[in-house]
Amino acid sequence: MTQRPTLWLGDQEVAFEPGETLLEVARRHGKEIPTLCHDPRLKPAGACRTCLVEVEGSRRLLPACATPASKGARVTVESARVDRHRKSLLSLYLTDHPDQAAMRERKRPDELLAMAERYAAPTDWPKLDSLRAERKEDPNPYIDFDAAACILCARCTRYCDEIESVSAITLAGRAAETTISTADGRSLLDSSCEMCGGCIDTCPTGAMAEKRPIARKSKHEDELVKVRTTCNFCGVGCQLDLNIDPSARGGAGEVVKVTSPPVGTTTNDGNLCVKGRFAYDFIHHADRLTTPLVRGADGALVPATWEVALRRAADGLLGVRERHGADALAFVSSSRCTVEENYLVQKIARAAIGTNNVHQCAAT
Amino acid sequence: MTNSIGEIRDADFLFVIGSNTSEAHPIIAMEMKRAVHRGATMVVADPRQIFMTTMAKKHLQIRPGSDVWLLNAMAHVIIAEDLVDHDFIQNQTENFAAVREAVRDYTPEKAEEVTGVSAEDIRWTARTYATTERAGIYYTLGITEHSHGTDNVYALANLVLMTGHLGKPSSGMNPLRGQNNVQGANDAGATPVFFPGYQLVVDDEVRRKYEASWGVPLPPEPGLNLNQMMKTLGKQLKGMFIMGEDIVLSEPNVAKVEEGLSSMEFLVLQEPFLNETARYADVIFPSTVFAEKEGVFANSERRVQLVRRAVQPPGEAREDWIILRDLAAALGAEWHYADAAEVYAEMVKDTPKFAGLSHARLERETLAGKTGIQWPCVSEDDPGTVYLHKNGVLRGKGLFTAVHYRPSEELPDHEYTLVLSTGRTLYHYNAATQTRREEGLFTKQGEAFIQIHPRDAKRRGIADEEMVTVRTRRGQVTCRAILSPQLRRGSIWMPLHFPEARANLLTNDAGDPVTQTAEFKVCAAEVERAETQPPRSGDGPTFRGSYYREPLPSEA
């Protein structure tokens, strides 16, 4: 076996794979390095400067996310110099960032504020008047952008380029007026945007947020319960976290929004599509059937109790079997339903009725 | 899929055929895009320009229904230029000679005439596929929804086998499943020929096992499949139970389906919403949606994953497994299950492929930071199977199957001059029972439409966004026309989602002789400008949907 190259993290000698960055090596060895512009799915940008570390021989601090690990390097992750730099940097960010109360209205966590608190960055620096161009209200149904909360880390635009690859949003404007926009500021609806919502998922501050929880004044994400489950649309099997307000609907619980599990943990790698992330209103839709229905003598469907409906269904099916035999009955199961439900339908067809006439839309 | 989704990003060559991946499987498309960004070569064969063709090295804009010609010509090139994997063919396959003989006359030049794809592109694609180590094939219903769908799949499998692109990471044959649990529904035995775990109904030993387990005698003859059911409604079939499918929207040639339904004696539905089929139902059970139930789905890569109850169902709606247990009891079969996990445990007990799986184990996997297990998984300590055929072809020898081109059942003629294909869009899902109730999706794409080449439209006096009538021998619908140079001339395309313009009034229910899968992708149709032209609700080009290209002046 060939010897893997090593470097030093403080006084610890660690091996690395060629091509790894200092950030990857450090995190793999349990060292905490804060980042804002980093997303493992994206190429390093080195933009936010929160991950700066000391590397012996380099006059300046270097961004761990964009610095390749090199043989024999001596890296200091935590030092008075790194801490001093980080505090100043975070305080600078805060001079141009809404406060905690304003950010709560975005209904999702703000990593910048959390980081400033964790590293005890001074919060009393004078506030600046932001020059950033505010985007006009966009009529798209899902994605809200608050320019004031944006730190221009460009995770959203890079995600749109590198992962979803539709390049719908971009950094626009110059210098202090830089902001996130579409080409010529048109609505997302008329851009190449496919509403995957990856920009919301990757945004560290909540500048990109989902419109509905804000409009509906839902609870903040940290007050919701997340239930991990499997998406019910296509066959990819994405894992998603249903964000539940357990006290809503008289304690029956309500799906307030859908988020993707952390990057690198599931098949979908933190990604979701427009349907998986946003098409959840059908769950609590007023059109849902809430009681069994049976067809009355006048031909109309009328509500019935479960007991009546089950009896009527069983008698109807058994009646057909008696008159025409078991093979006059057929069971259409569903590739939308669970394995267990499909198992029970085929078992009913075969064992309770006595026919192999059972199938589902996998035929088509 | 013989490979896993996570392997896609490491592929060096992706041959995508009959799959509008970025709309039908957006997350798999993201993995393909990552591969391309990394430097992989992608070739997309599709009658339309779609988003994926913009990222492809080559777009083979094939004439609908001519896939066998394309694939056999690729095989012809690979054999003629001796790019086959001799060791793999020798050791792991049988019947290669038959295919070599069969494809002899499928020259790229002749293929060009039939498919519309240049001989040069066919040669290039064949060579690049054969000579790239990590080369995967990805396909979906564009391959299977034909009266020769099985032939298409065999033709693809022949390419895989002759190049030895099997049993290796990122290298295999990957049908992308269209629905969340197509894989699982088949795994569970909801098919007329198999018990759970693909154990044949006609196998006496298997049947005896289930007779012992379930304590009743079981019918020995295979049952009707879905397409056959639809054709015998009201005739052989007098009663039906349907769970979670709106057949009046989803099945081909629905006018005939509705005629059959109206002469049925008894129909039971189990649904979360009233749907079109409900008009014919005698009893409807209110069921639950995925957020309200416990169980598992199996995805395209055979990964079994938990579905967890997050909220309570509305009113008196009940979890489907409870309804089914109670229905069985009303039918006289007393089965005792305390929860979905017990149903699952009963299923795996008699299916060796899934023997190592249980809800409890899947829950432990999640806690350990992993998600689901890919079957085959034969015991508690079996980690599952990431890609198939690793230790040699599963059936012992990979079987080459010679296939010849058969035209689609219904081709254009002087009365119906166009070829109609149907499909899914990014913003809706099948019968749209769910997505139609999601307002935002309707903001993006709110009404039915048909895509037609600007020149085909011009000849018929149709302007962009005008209402048109689409006719086939089976029915007609009215919807808006989108003029788009993304289509081949002579081809039109429409989505199946919209109840106001049901594509399946038009489609042909001719089925593949083996699978009975209907020919949703090819039928003869004609389009004309509608007499009344109601104004569009809303403005702007938003409803055009996912990927749209304006006509160039030369294409108008």
Side-chain angles (χ1 to χ4, degrees):
Chain A
M1 205 178 121
T2 51
Q3 194 77 33
R4 289 197 301 165
T6 61
L7 55 72
W8 292 84
L9 290 173
D11 52 10
Q12 186 188 0
E13 187 180 10
V14 300
F16 64 91
E17 299 290 340
E20 275 189 303
T21 63
L22 291 183
L23 180 70
E24 286 164 340
V25 179
R27 286 201 171 158
R28 198 153 46 73
H29 289 89
K31 293 269 189 279
E32 185 183 304
I33 298 181
T35 55
L36 288 171
C37 73
H38 177 72
D39 179 326
R41 292 168 292 189
L42 307 175
K43 293 188 199 109
C48 75
R49 315 310 278 179
T50 51
C51 70
L52 294 191
V53 293
E54 286 191 64
V55 180
E56 203 172 280
S58 167
R59 192 168 57 81
R60 295 177 173 181
L61 298 177
L62 295 177
C65 73
T67 307
S70 59
K71 202 172 157 187
R74 291 187 171 270
V75 182
T76 306
V77 170
E78 276 300 337
S79 69
R81 188 180 169 205
V82 167
D83 186 58
R84 192 170 63 239
H85 155 82
R86 196 164 49 207
K87 280 197 170 79
S88 308
L89 180 78
L90 292 171
S91 294
L92 269 173
Y93 273 124
L94 294 183
T95 61
D96 191 15
H97 196 73
D99 62 15
Q100 188 70 254
M103 289 310 297
R104 292 289 293 179
E105 289 174 13
R106 308 293 295 160
K107 308 297 179 193
R108 47 165 308 193
D110 181 341
E111 290 173 34
L112 171 61
L113 289 175
M115 197 180 286
E117 195 178 322
R118 184 161 74 247
Y119 292 105
T123 54
D124 55 350
W125 292 23
K127 290 277 183 191
L128 297 177
D129 282 335
S130 174
L131 292 176
R132 247 172 262 145
E134 184 65 56
R135 281 195 63 207
K136 62 176 187 292
E137 176 64 24
D138 190 285
N140 88 79
Y142 298 128
I143 299 166
D144 187 75
F145 174 64
D146 178 7
C150 174
I151 57 166
L152 297 175
C153 68
R155 268 163 74 164
C156 56
T157 59
R158 288 183 288 135
Y159 184 92
C160 202
D161 286 343
E162 295 175 29
I163 306 295
E164 180 65 348
S165 309
V166 297
S167 303
I169 52 174
T170 177
L171 287 168
R174 293 282 180 93
E177 291 179 2
T178 309
T179 188
I180 310 291
S181 181
T182 54
D184 34 284
R186 66 174 73 176
S187 161
L188 274 182
L189 281 174
D190 295 334
S191 72
S192 54
C193 173
E194 298 195 330
M195 305 272 155
C196 72
C199 48
I200 295 175
D201 175 67
T202 194
C203 178
T205 64
M208 292 279 180
E210 188 184 341
K211 283 185 171 179
R212 277 178 295 184
I214 299 172
R216 292 172 183 174
K217 301 199 183 329
S218 306
K219 288 187 176 147
H220 191 273
E221 193 173 316
D222 61 18
E223 299 169 80
L224 302 173
V225 178
K226 289 188 182 185
V227 178
R228 176 73 48 88
T229 192
T230 307
C231 182
N232 91 140
F233 290 110
C234 82
V236 177
C238 293
Q239 294 297 291
L240 27 96
D241 287 337
L242 299 175
N243 287 229
I244 307 302
D245 179 347
S247 60
R249 293 172 64 232
E254 183 180 341
V255 179
V256 169
K257 68 173 169 181
V258 175
T259 50
S260 44
V263 177
T265 58
T266 65
T267 302
N268 44 312
D269 200 15
N271 304 312
L272 286 174
C273 76
V274 58
K275 292 190 287 258
R277 192 184 303 278
F278 295 128
Y280 54 79
D281 274 355
F282 75 89
I283 297 169
H284 305 301
H285 198 280
D287 289 351
R288 284 290 301 276
L289 291 172
T290 55
T291 162
L293 300 171
V294 298
R295 199 166 292 281
D298 62 350
L301 286 168
V302 292
T305 63
W306 273 104
E307 203 185 345
V308 167
L310 284 164
R311 191 67 263 150
R312 176 85 181 272
D315 289 348
L317 295 172
L318 293 172
V320 171
R321 183 173 71 174
E322 200 169 307
R323 288 189 296 277
H324 308 285
D327 286 337
L329 285 164
F331 288 76
V332 179
S333 194
S334 178
S335 53
R336 310 301 315 285
C337 291
T338 65
V339 167
E340 294 79 358
E341 290 152 9
N342 278 283
Y343 174 80
L344 287 177
V345 170
Q346 62 89 34
K347 190 178 173 188
I348 288 175
R350 294 184 164 122
I353 295 291
T355 178
N356 282 314
N357 293 342
V358 54
H359 210 187
Q360 24 76 37
C361 56
T364 54
Chain B
M1 294 175 73
T2 65
N3 297 114
S4 291
I5 293 166
E7 295 167 36
I8 297 174
R9 65 178 73 167
D10 297 321
D12 290 322
F13 184 83
L14 303 105
F15 184 47
V16 180
I17 180 164
S19 162
N20 183 5
T21 324
S22 71
E23 297 204 60
H25 298 89
I27 302 304
I28 284 179
M30 284 185 192
E31 295 294 328
M32 293 176 173
K33 293 167 186 175
R34 283 167 97 157
V36 171
H37 286 310
R38 213 196 77 246
T41 303
M42 178 162 72
V43 172
V44 177
D46 198 286
R48 293 188 299 158
Q49 290 174 15
I50 50 179
F51 183 85
M52 298 313 281
T53 61
T54 67
M55 294 194 71
K57 176 94 172 175
K58 277 194 195 301
H59 173 204
L60 313 182
Q61 196 161 8
I62 184 174
R63 184 169 289 136
S66 65
D67 310 76
V68 166
W69 258 102
L70 173 71
L71 301 172
N72 274 1
M74 284 173 62
H76 175 102
V77 173
I78 291 168
I79 294 168
E81 302 188 3
D82 196 26
L83 303 173
V84 298
D85 184 335
H86 292 286
D87 286 347
F88 189 87
I89 293 173
Q90 176 72 38
N91 299 324
Q92 302 217 37
T93 70
E94 57 195 31
N95 206 29
F96 175 59
V99 170
R100 188 174 52 204
E101 187 56 36
V103 303
R104 195 181 298 277
D105 291 333
Y106 287 80
T107 64
E109 280 70 23
K110 283 190 220 162
E112 176 174 338
E113 286 172 32
V114 184
T115 62
V117 178
S118 76
E120 189 192 344
D121 283 352
I122 294 173
R123 285 206 167 84
W124 184 88
T125 304
R127 284 176 196 140
T128 318
Y129 172 68
T131 56
T132 307
E133 177 72 19
R134 287 170 176 260
I137 291 177
Y138 304 86
Y139 69 92
T140 173
L141 303 181
I143 282 293
T144 53
E145 284 182 349
H146 289 280
S147 56
H148 47 263
T150 309
D151 294 348
N152 288 344
V153 174
Y154 281 136
L156 282 171
N158 290 340
L159 291 176
V160 171
L161 292 175
M162 72 178 61
T163 55
H165 284 326
L166 193 67
K168 292 180 282 195
S170 313
S171 183
M173 170 121 162
N174 299 296
L176 311 178
R177 296 291 203 172
Q179 291 175 133
N180 54 325
N181 200 31
V182 174
Q183 187 69 57
N186 286 298
D187 296 351
T191 100
V193 289
F194 294 120
F195 285 110
Y198 306 94
Q199 304 176 85
L200 283 168
V201 161
V202 294
D203 184 325
D204 292 339
E205 204 174 310
V206 168
R207 207 172 53 254
R208 275 196 293 273
K209 176 171 77 174
Y210 277 98
E211 286 177 338
S213 271
W214 295 348
V216 287
L218 295 170
E221 296 297 325
L224 301 175
N225 62 40
L226 190 63
N227 200 314
Q228 291 164 333
M229 288 178 193
M230 293 304 119
K231 287 177 176 165
T232 50
L233 293 173
K235 297 174 195 141
Q236 180 193 330
L237 292 182
K238 303 292 186 189
M240 195 172 226
F241 170 90
I242 306 176
M243 172 176 80
E245 195 195 334
D246 191 359
I247 58 171
V248 169
L249 216 50
S250 326
E251 294 302 316
N253 195 2
V254 289
K256 230 164 75 183
V257 171
E258 291 196 74
E259 191 187 312
L261 279 175
S262 58
S263 50
M264 294 283 277
E265 291 178 17
F266 198 71
L267 179 64
V268 183
L269 296 190
Q270 180 164 321
E271 290 287 341
F273 293 98
L274 275 186
N275 59 22
E276 301 284 325
T277 311
R279 294 202 305 273
Y280 302 94
D282 295 286
V283 179
I284 303 175
F285 297 138
S287 65
T288 42
V289 300
F290 79 116
E292 299 157 348
K293 59 170 79 163
E294 303 273 337
V296 301
F297 293 155
N299 76 352
S300 273
E301 48 173 2
R302 299 162 278 104
R303 188 183 298 276
V304 180
Q305 304 187 109
L306 283 173
V307 179
R308 294 185 180 82
R309 189 190 304 110
V311 292
Q312 300 299 322
E316 293 176 49
R318 287 183 184 169
E319 279 189 69
D320 298 62
W321 74 268
I322 296 176
I323 305 173
L324 294 167
R325 180 196 61 189
D326 294 349
L327 176 64
L331 290 167
E334 291 289 339
W335 301 331
H336 300 283
Y337 306 106
D339 53 27
E342 284 190 10
V343 179
Y344 195 69
E346 179 182 300
M347 184 186 94
V348 302
K349 181 170 63 69
D350 291 317
T351 46
K353 276 189 177 66
F354 314 135
L357 297 170
S358 66
H359 281 209
R361 184 174 171 198
L362 292 168
E363 198 62 71
R364 284 200 301 276
E365 291 280 323
T366 311
L367 292 174
K370 286 179 274 182
T371 305
I373 297 172
Q374 290 169 279
W375 67 259
C377 174
V378 297
S379 64
E380 263 290 320
D381 50 9
D382 178 351
T385 309
V386 177
Y387 55 92
L388 298 175
H389 312 290
K390 185 178 181 178
N391 302 311
V393 178
L394 284 172
R395 75 177 279 276
K397 293 275 187 188
L399 181 63
F400 279 99
T401 308
V403 290
H404 285 288
Y405 172 70
R406 283 187 291 123
S408 307
E409 288 286 325
E410 190 182 74
L411 292 171
D413 54 24
H414 61 277
E415 196 184 348
Y416 297 95
T417 59
L418 301 166
V419 174
L420 169 71
S421 305
T422 63
R424 189 186 289 174
T425 77
L426 175 61
Y427 298 100
H428 291 287
Y429 189 84
N430 293 11
T433 313
Q434 296 176 353
T435 52
R436 152 161 34 118
R437 295 180 168 89
E438 173 60 45
E439 204 182 316
L441 296 176
F442 261 66
T443 311
K444 184 76 184 176
Q445 190 175 65
E447 61 177 316
F449 60 89
I450 187 151
Q451 292 180 327
I452 183 169
H453 193 280
R455 294 210 182 143
D456 289 332
K458 200 172 174 181
R459 276 182 47 190
R460 291 165 176 79
I462 298 163
D464 198 22
E465 298 197 0
E466 281 192 327
M467 296 300 284
V468 293
T469 303
V470 189
R471 285 185 294 117
T472 68
R473 288 189 173 81
R474 290 154 294 280
Q476 63 174 51
V477 302
T478 303
C479 62
R480 221 165 272 285
I482 297 179
L483 273 50
S484 166
Q486 293 159 241
L487 275 85
R488 288 178 57 88
R489 288 196 61 185
S491 292
I492 52 176
W493 187 92
M494 77 182 293
L496 60 88
H497 313 298
F498 298 92
E500 76 274 17
R502 286 188 280 162
N504 282 323
L505 283 167
L506 307 171
T507 48
N508 192 353
D509 54 353
D512 179 276
V514 180
T515 62
Q516 294 295 324
T517 298
E519 194 145 56
F520 288 101
K521 299 302 184 195
V522 176
C523 72
E526 192 47 71
V527 180
E528 60 205 33
R529 188 173 179 277
E531 281 176 16
T532 51
Q533 291 293 333
R536 250 193 69 201
S537 54
D539 49 21
T542 57
F543 86 113
R544 284 162 196 273
S546 177
Y547 170 67
Y548 169 72
R549 184 166 78 72
E550 298 276 347
L552 302 168
S554 62
E555 291 168 325

